[in-house]
Amino acid sequence: MLTGSEPPPPPRLHEELFMSLERDQMVAGRHQALGRAHLSLRARAALWVLRGFVMVVGALVIYTFLARI
Amino acid sequence: MSLNETGEFVLPLPRPAAEQQDGLTGEDLARSRDRARVLAARARSSRWFLLWLLVGPGILAMLGENDGPSMISYAATGAAFGLGFFLPFIVVTFAMAIVCQEMCMRVGAVTHRGYGQLIIERYGKVWGWLAAGDLVFTNLVTLIAEFVAIRVGLAFFHLGAGVAALLGVVLVLLAQSGGRYWRWERVVLGLAVFNGLFLLSAVLVKPNTGHLTHAFLTFSPLPRGSFNEILLLLASTIGATVTPWMIFFQQSASADKGLTPNDLTQGRLDTVIGGVLAAVFGCGALVAGAALAGHGGASVDGLAGAGFPEALSRVDGGTAGALFALGLIEAGAVAILTISASTGYAIGECTGASSSFNRPLRDAASFYFVNVLVAVIAAAVILVPGVPLLSIALNANVLATVLLPVTLVFMVMLANDRQLMGRFANGPATNLAVAITVAVVAVCGAAYGIDSFLLQVHLIG
């Protein structure tokens, strides 16, 4: 954890630490948004069908659970 | 750089002002210290030390999923059906879990991003928030079940629900007070070792080795009972091994730990070790529960009141029951830590807020706040008198099974995304194994949901 009372690291050590991370592993790199993936109409429809199916079955499970208690 | 006696690099840390100037955050520095140790171990060819440094997310995901409701579910299955089909079925479900979790680790190590962040960036906010919504909902239900498990375990030692609630929340607060992912991970790993208590408990009830061998080799005897009860146990056994929170957790934790494509071998070993340990300990819980099969514990609901630990203590004189009770406390505690972490990661990734254990509290307040908040809400629920304990525990797993297919399908899409993964994308064998897993999960979850509903509204008898 960072504290304000300790001195900054010598530049050489700082550099060595920096080298141990991959460029896209640093916070700044991880915050660079990736582009959107292209999904075909059929793939999007299939995902929504699966989503709807899961919601219906989830609702049935919750209803049954509540009805039994 | 030099190592101190605990294996940590001794480095003076910079002032916040200095880090701002250099564009290098405290999170980067904390992670780079961990990575420097990994690089040094790799340079020295210290294979075992390298593995020690890189294990964590896989073992925690697997043993975290050997949680309170899962162990109660396994024991309930053993008590209802004895040693038979479900024993090797646990091993099969953990094999499925290893396939799924290896994908999560690989995607996290290659992209350095969590599941929620990748879904939002690649497929849009709607899918990202739907996934996070599913996760928060199932995590809350599961967390309630974890507190229930701790409560059942503590009840064996004559301690009440208030102690269970306090213990869980204090653990979350203590575990995340270090400001480093490494420390958080090692604390939880230290606790997770005690999942082995279920195996000890199984040994103490002296199972018939002939029956054990027969069950593993033949998947028999097949369970007998009502169709709906078998479906419930199938769905909850699957839900006890592969769940949405594990997917969120292992990918985010792998990224937070700083795994890279160079670490995939150790990441895979971490996942396999976790899967094998979890399967062995899960089988231990089932074997311990099976000791109750001939002692009036055949009904799944019949054990809710007395609790498994007390019922077990009547079989062997006390020790197995005490170990099972301690195991339930451990299983609940580890799962509370990992599941609340997965909730914090998911919310942080979807909102764009900082979500890393490598951040101090002031820089990632929302991440730590969500971690604690979900634990506090779940703790509050178990203080309500008359809560149906076993029913919540079993249904938490079923709900996770029902919602899992969408999470898994997106995981497969990410792992097959060659723009993201390049040469680390899924191969045909992995895709086939995951397709079978998704099909089994979807069919079991749907069959239980539909059958239970039809029974409830008296459309079938």
Side-chain angles (χ1 to χ4, degrees), chain B residues 78-387:
Chain B
F81 301 111
L83 301 176
F85 169 81
F86 281 104
L87 200 56
F89 186 66
I90 290 175
V91 178
V92 172
T93 55
F94 272 106
M96 297 194 308
I98 288 172
V99 173
C100 298
Q101 295 306 116
E102 187 275 337
M103 269 194 314
C104 306
M105 178 278 302
R106 185 158 31 93
V107 174
V110 172
T111 65
H112 308 303
R113 287 163 157 86
Y115 179 87
Q117 185 182 351
L118 277 183
I119 295 293
I120 282 191
E121 290 180 1
R122 297 297 282 165
Y123 304 110
K125 285 185 177 174
V126 173
W127 286 112
W129 276 105
L130 283 172
D134 286 352
L135 183 83
V136 171
F137 178 65
T138 52
N139 277 5
L140 262 176
V141 178
T142 311
L143 278 170
I144 294 167
E146 306 305 343
F147 278 98
V148 166
I150 295 181
R151 183 180 165 178
V152 170
L154 287 175
F156 183 81
F157 303 105
H158 311 293
L159 294 168
V163 180
L166 191 65
L167 179 70
V169 174
V170 168
L171 261 178
V172 173
L173 285 169
L174 286 179
Q176 62 189 24
S177 61
R180 283 282 301 277
Y181 172 84
W182 170 261
R183 283 183 201 139
W184 178 88
E185 182 191 88
R186 297 296 135 160
V187 167
V188 189
L189 272 178
L191 274 174
V193 169
F194 293 96
N195 208 255
L197 290 171
F198 290 101
L199 186 61
L200 286 179
S201 186
V203 172
L204 286 175
V205 298
K206 299 184 181 71
N208 183 314
T209 48
H211 291 169
L212 279 175
T213 311
H214 182 261
F216 275 117
L217 293 179
T218 64
F219 281 67
S220 64
L222 291 171
R224 278 178 289 177
S226 78
F227 182 61
N228 189 257
E229 189 182 7
I230 292 168
L231 277 179
L232 169 65
L233 291 171
L234 273 176
S236 63
T237 304
I238 293 170
T241 43
V242 196
T243 58
W245 80 259
M246 288 168 77
I247 289 169
F248 269 86
F249 174 80
Q250 190 163 352
Q251 186 175 330
S252 300
S254 299
D256 202 5
K257 187 177 175 72
L259 295 190
T260 71
N262 292 328
D263 310 320
L264 289 182
T265 304
Q266 288 77 18
R268 287 183 180 121
L269 275 172
D270 176 36
T271 308
V272 171
I273 291 168
V276 170
L277 287 176
V280 170
F281 299 158
C283 287
L286 189 143
V287 171
L292 304 173
H295 293 259
S299 161
V300 171
D301 292 324
L303 292 168
F308 284 98
E310 281 186 29
L312 269 180
S313 67
R314 281 184 231 119
V315 173
D316 93 314
T319 315
L323 289 179
F324 198 92
L326 287 172
L328 282 181
I329 297 167
E330 174 278 334
V334 169
I336 286 170
L337 293 170
T338 49
I339 293 174
S340 57
S342 81
T343 317
Y345 279 132
I347 297 294
E349 287 164 11
C350 288
T351 57
S354 297
S355 54
S356 168
F357 283 110
N358 281 323
R359 289 257 178 178
L361 177 62
R362 65 174 177 276
D363 290 349
S366 60
F367 171 66
Y368 290 112
F369 177 71
V370 170
N371 255 284
V372 178
L373 180 68
V374 286
V376 169
I377 293 172
V381 172
I382 65 152
L383 297 176
V384 179
V387 176

Side-chain angles (χ1 to χ4, degrees), chain A residues 2 4 7 9 14 16-18 20 22 24-27 30 32 34-37 51 53-54 65 68, chain B residues 1 13-15 19 22 24 27-28 31-32 35 112-113 117 121-122 134 258 260 359 391 403 456:
Chain A
L2 293 171
H14 205 131
E16 280 183 29
L17 273 177
F18 195 77
S20 62
E22 292 185 359
D24 60 349
Q25 208 172 7
M26 289 186 283
V27 171
R30 291 169 72 183
Q32 283 179 353
L34 302 166
R36 286 283 287 269
R51 177 83 216 168
F53 172 74
V54 158
F65 169 68
R68 284 180 182 175
Chain B
M1 287 186 282
L13 289 171
R15 295 170 194 275
E19 72 170 79
D22 295 343
L24 195 61
E27 180 181 339
D28 289 326
R31 191 169 294 121
S32 62
R35 291 305 302 169
H112 308 303
R113 287 163 157 86
Q117 185 182 351
E121 290 180 1
R122 297 297 282 165
D134 286 352
T260 71
R359 289 257 178 178
S391 188
L403 293 173
Q456 187 62 39

